[in-house]
Amino acid sequence: MSRIITVGAAQLGAIQRSDNRSAVAARMIELMRQAKSSGCDLVAFPELALTTFFPRWFMEDQEEIDTFFEHEMPSNEIAPLFSAAQEMGLAFMLGFAEKVDEGGRTRRFNTQIIVDKSGKQIAKYRKIHLPGHAEHEPWRAFQHLEKRYFEVGNLSWPVVRAGPDLNGALLGQMICNDRRWPESYRVMGLQGVEMVLLGYNTPVHNPPAPMHDRLGDFHNHLVMQAGAYQNATWVVGVAKCGVEEGCEMIGGSAIIAPTGEIVAQAVTREDELVVARCDLDLGRSYKNSTFNFARHREPEQYRMLVERKGAKPPE
Amino acid sequence: MSRIITVGAAQLGAIQRSDNRSAVAARMIELMRQAKSSGCDLVAFPELALTTFFPRWFMEDQEEIDTFFEHEMPSNEIAPLFSAAQEMGLAFMLGFAEKVDEGGRTRRFNTQIIVDKSGKQIAKYRKIHLPGHAEHEPWRAFQHLEKRYFEVGNLSWPVVRAGPDLNGALLGQMICNDRRWPESYRVMGLQGVEMVLLGYNTPVHNPPAPMHDRLGDFHNHLVMQAGAYQNATWVVGVAKCGVEEGCEMIGGSAIIAPTGEIVAQAVTREDELVVARCDLDLGRSYKNSTFNFARHREPEQYRMLVERKGAKPPE
């Protein structure tokens, strides 16, 4: 048996501050059209897909900050994207900055949702591993203030079973920096995940450690390939990339099989669609052998992973 | 500052059942001589380095099984290896099958030790992720009966601080199948590990999933490179390889930097030494930035890793 869904990783090139959401939605709809004509069932967009990557700036005016957040989803400006998808019968994953009233206060998250072919939102994830810093660091050419503008996500890493329109796929999500942490994949691996959708915005230059810059593309693929293999899942990684407001970001969007192999990858730093036919059952032989967790994991031995946060060398 | 230790990965080719321990020790001493002449401080040997990989056979006679185990370390046959190392002033890591009286009974583990330049044993590890099966599966051309012949290790994954002879290196160990599980690296990453030493015996053919065979070398490197990068540690992976008693095993011994890059690798399936000068401080910039665990890990979100053993898909 094979359970195929055809997936498009819809990489986005740079979005400048002056680009409004309607213009961005128009670019995304064009990628959706390409996806449809390639036979896609599902198209995945990047993290914070609707605006420029604003955590690169230190801002104090909450009203200004909130211009980068979505107060309803979809807003009027984004509604055409949702309509186009529904008309084409395309499911999609979308990342955006979410402002929400919850628990009697306003909260802000770095969020992704999955919408099925009928237009129904079937999954939401809020980013857990927020990178960067919370305070202004003026020595940096660009800030990375995700710890300032977002709360840590409060929805864990949920895995949902999609409907027949997506062949009953067990879908999970993570966002950007989550992909460097094997714990993110494993929480979903333990829910039998068959496909992880993840968007990212990754600057080429890491100001606290510029000697790492030459390895950005390598590390991006390394962690996604390992996460895919070690949990026998497809991983669909989608970049926003190119030079945004003077800040250069990596591309390298990729669709990775449960074997750990890259089966499709972007070769530009612009709007670019890459497509793969993904057999959701391809990971089954790994889940039943090498990575049969019930037979081979030893959770009693992993306690330090939850009991200790930072590293403590022996005396 | 840089804290260099020079390390040799001493890959061993096949050991047949008829090869006695003295003959094996002589091969290992030859590799030690090469290591010494290459300026090595430390040389690492494979898992179960002293005999053929016996879990490939189903045996019921405990006396026969015990011929593959070490009842004391070093035994008379192995003593020349220890003496040679001490004379050369070489530290080494050695894997062997350990039979020990502990807790009022005889126990058997798949074990590795580290001996410093003075001849003192400074670390012991007993394999936790035992692969394979416990019962005879006659349909297999070769068994993989580690779950039959060994108990799960009871020493966790300890990290030790070596003495000045090894530049105070924070050394950890794992064995073979452990390297496929990100939890193994992470427990040591949480102890600030700077170098993980690991030996393996990995058959080319995986009888329950023969379609994975073509990827054996790729997976071997993928998991070690990801583990190195994600914990900012050196990883020294050492194979026993070649065709043992008709069973083909992968080589690919490698020394991997905390960047995730392979800096030295074996190109044969025979006795072969590969050497790298390893700066123990190379991982520091990662531990202080991307992988600053105290800043970026979210242990509350990882509880499923210890609360659940096998995978459970959502309803």
Side-chain angles (χ1 to χ4, degrees):
Chain A
M1 193 176 98
S2 60
R3 290 160 56 228
I4 303 288
I5 63 173
T6 300
V7 176
Q11 177 172 287
L12 286 173
I15 298 175
Q16 308 307 335
R17 191 161 186 168
S18 59
D19 296 334
N20 64 29
R21 284 173 175 74
S22 301
V24 175
R27 285 164 59 183
M28 294 167 80
I29 291 170
E30 168 55 27
L31 287 162
M32 279 183 167
R33 281 200 196 99
Q34 296 172 18
K36 186 64 190 174
S37 71
S38 298
C40 285
D41 298 293
L42 169 67
V43 57
F45 292 107
E47 175 194 32
L48 301 174
L50 302 174
T51 69
T52 198
F53 186 72
F54 64 91
R56 73 169 64 93
W57 296 306
F58 176 70
M59 296 175 280
E60 293 185 286
D61 176 357
Q62 191 63 55
E63 245 178 82
E64 181 189 8
I65 296 164
D66 279 347
T67 61
F68 296 100
F69 281 76
E70 308 305 311
H71 307 235
E72 51 181 345
M73 182 52 61
S75 65
N76 288 343
E77 271 174 303
I78 294 305
L81 183 71
F82 281 63
S83 309
Q86 208 176 339
E87 277 161 31
M88 294 186 227
L90 255 186
F92 65 98
M93 177 279 269
L94 173 68
F96 60 93
E98 178 190 21
K99 180 181 167 191
V100 64
D101 290 320
E102 217 179 77
R105 62 190 175 95
T106 301
R107 308 181 68 171
R108 291 170 185 82
F109 298 101
N110 187 339
T111 297
Q112 271 182 194
I113 55 171
I114 302 172
V115 176
D116 74 8
K117 288 184 182 178
S118 75
K120 183 181 160 203
Q121 181 184 308
I122 59 169
K124 178 182 276 192
Y125 168 69
R126 291 168 171 165
K127 185 173 182 176
I128 287 172
H129 290 108
L130 298 172
H133 49 111
E135 300 306 324
H136 192 207
E137 297 185 1
W139 62 269
R140 290 174 183 250
F142 294 99
Q143 307 294 302
H144 202 115
L145 285 163
E146 291 193 56
K147 286 189 195 288
R148 182 178 193 83
Y149 298 133
F150 302 112
E151 286 185 57
V152 171
N154 60 351
L155 302 176
S156 184
W157 284 279
V159 171
V160 297
R161 193 185 296 274
D165 61 320
L166 295 172
N167 232 328
L170 291 168
L171 299 176
Q173 297 184 82
M174 62 173 78
I175 302 180
C176 194
N177 183 41
D178 286 323
R179 75 195 187 286
R180 301 189 196 277
W181 301 85
E183 292 90 344
S184 319
Y185 303 89
R186 186 63 99 222
V187 169
M188 292 189 278
L190 285 165
Q191 299 169 76
V193 70
E194 293 172 333
M195 180 176 286
V196 173
L197 304 173
L198 80 94
Y200 57 90
N201 284 259
T202 300
V204 168
H205 305 293
N206 184 12
M211 65 291 241
H212 304 171
D213 292 357
R214 71 181 174 86
L215 297 170
D217 291 313
F218 165 61
H219 289 154
N220 178 44
H221 286 168
L222 176 63
V223 293
M224 294 195 292
Q225 292 181 270
Y229 168 61
Q230 290 171 328
N231 296 279
T233 180
W234 290 89
V235 171
V236 180
V238 191
K240 183 144 65 66
C241 55
V243 182
E244 272 193 5
E245 300 288 345
C247 180
E248 195 183 355
M249 298 190 297
I250 69 167
S253 300
I255 301 175
I256 298 159
T259 59
E261 294 169 290
I262 294 174
V263 298
Q265 73 177 302
V267 294
T268 72
R269 287 186 178 174
E270 299 168 7
D271 291 9
E272 180 181 354
L273 182 79
V274 298
V275 175
R277 286 169 44 85
C278 305
D279 179 357
L280 297 166
D281 285 332
L282 189 63
R284 191 166 292 193
S285 65
Y286 288 91
K287 287 179 165 109
N288 289 339
S289 60
T290 308
F291 296 116
N292 182 328
F293 292 171
R295 279 179 63 82
H296 299 308
R297 287 183 84 245
E298 298 290 347
E300 267 310 301
Q301 306 286 340
Y302 308 152
R303 300 211 61 83
M304 197 183 290
L305 274 64
V306 298
E307 290 171 357
R308 189 178 284 193
K309 182 174 162 86
K312 271 187 228 157
E315 296 300 308
Chain B
M1 193 176 99
S2 59
R3 291 160 55 227
I4 304 287
I5 64 173
T6 300
V7 175
Q11 175 173 289
L12 286 173
I15 299 176
Q16 308 306 335
R17 190 160 187 168
S18 59
D19 296 332
N20 65 31
R21 284 170 175 75
S22 301
V24 175
R27 285 164 58 184
M28 295 167 78
I29 290 169
E30 169 54 27
L31 286 161
M32 279 183 167
R33 282 200 195 99
Q34 296 172 18
K36 185 65 190 173
S37 71
S38 299
C40 286
D41 298 292
L42 168 68
V43 58
F45 292 106
E47 173 194 33
L48 302 174
L50 302 174
T51 68
T52 199
F53 186 72
F54 63 91
R56 74 170 64 92
W57 295 306
F58 176 71
M59 295 176 279
E60 294 185 287
D61 176 357
Q62 191 62 55
E63 245 178 83
E64 181 189 9
I65 296 165
D66 280 346
T67 61
F68 296 99
F69 280 76
E70 308 306 310
H71 307 234
E72 53 182 343
M73 182 52 62
S75 65
N76 287 343
E77 271 173 303
I78 294 304
L81 182 72
F82 281 63
S83 310
Q86 206 175 340
E87 278 161 31
M88 294 186 225
L90 255 187
F92 64 99
M93 177 279 270
L94 173 67
F96 59 94
E98 177 190 21
K99 181 182 168 190
V100 64
D101 290 320
E102 217 178 80
R105 61 191 175 93
T106 301
R107 308 181 68 171
R108 293 171 185 82
F109 298 100
N110 187 339
T111 297
Q112 270 182 193
I113 56 171
I114 302 173
V115 176
D116 75 8
K117 288 184 181 178
S118 75
K120 183 182 159 201
Q121 180 184 308
I122 58 169
K124 178 182 276 193
Y125 168 69
R126 290 167 172 167
K127 185 173 183 176
I128 288 172
H129 290 107
L130 298 172
H133 48 111
E135 300 306 325
H136 191 207
E137 296 185 0
W139 61 270
R140 292 175 183 250
F142 293 99
Q143 307 293 301
H144 202 115
L145 286 162
E146 291 192 56
K147 287 189 195 288
R148 182 178 193 85
Y149 297 134
F150 302 112
E151 284 184 59
V152 171
N154 59 351
L155 302 175
S156 183
W157 285 278
V159 171
V160 296
R161 193 185 295 275
D165 62 320
L166 294 173
N167 233 326
L170 291 168
L171 299 175
Q173 298 184 81
M174 63 174 77
I175 301 179
C176 194
N177 183 42
D178 285 323
R179 75 195 187 285
R180 301 188 196 276
W181 301 85
E183 293 90 344
S184 319
Y185 302 89
R186 186 64 98 223
V187 170
M188 292 189 277
L190 285 165
Q191 299 170 75
V193 71
E194 293 171 333
M195 180 175 284
V196 173
L197 304 172
L198 80 93
Y200 58 90
N201 284 257
T202 300
V204 168
H205 305 292
N206 184 12
M211 65 291 239
H212 304 173
D213 292 356
R214 71 182 173 87
L215 297 169
D217 290 314
F218 166 61
H219 288 153
N220 178 43
H221 285 168
L222 176 63
V223 294
M224 294 195 292
Q225 291 181 269
Y229 169 61
Q230 290 171 328
N231 296 279
T233 180
W234 289 90
V235 171
V236 180
V238 191
K240 182 144 66 68
C241 54
V243 182
E244 272 192 8
E245 301 287 346
C247 180
E248 196 182 354
M249 298 190 297
I250 69 166
S253 299
I255 300 175
I256 297 159
T259 60
E261 294 169 292
I262 294 174
V263 299
Q265 73 177 302
V267 293
T268 72
R269 287 186 177 173
E270 299 170 6
D271 291 9
E272 180 181 354
L273 182 79
V274 298
V275 175
R277 285 169 45 83
C278 304
D279 179 358
L280 297 167
D281 285 332
L282 189 63
R284 190 166 293 192
S285 65
Y286 288 91
K287 288 180 165 110
N288 290 339
S289 60
T290 308
F291 296 116
N292 182 328
F293 291 170
R295 278 179 63 82
H296 300 306
R297 289 183 83 245
E298 300 289 348
E300 268 310 301
Q301 305 287 341
Y302 308 151
R303 301 212 59 84
M304 198 183 288
L305 273 64
V306 299
E307 289 170 356
R308 190 179 283 192
K309 182 175 162 88
K312 272 186 227 157
E315 294 303 308

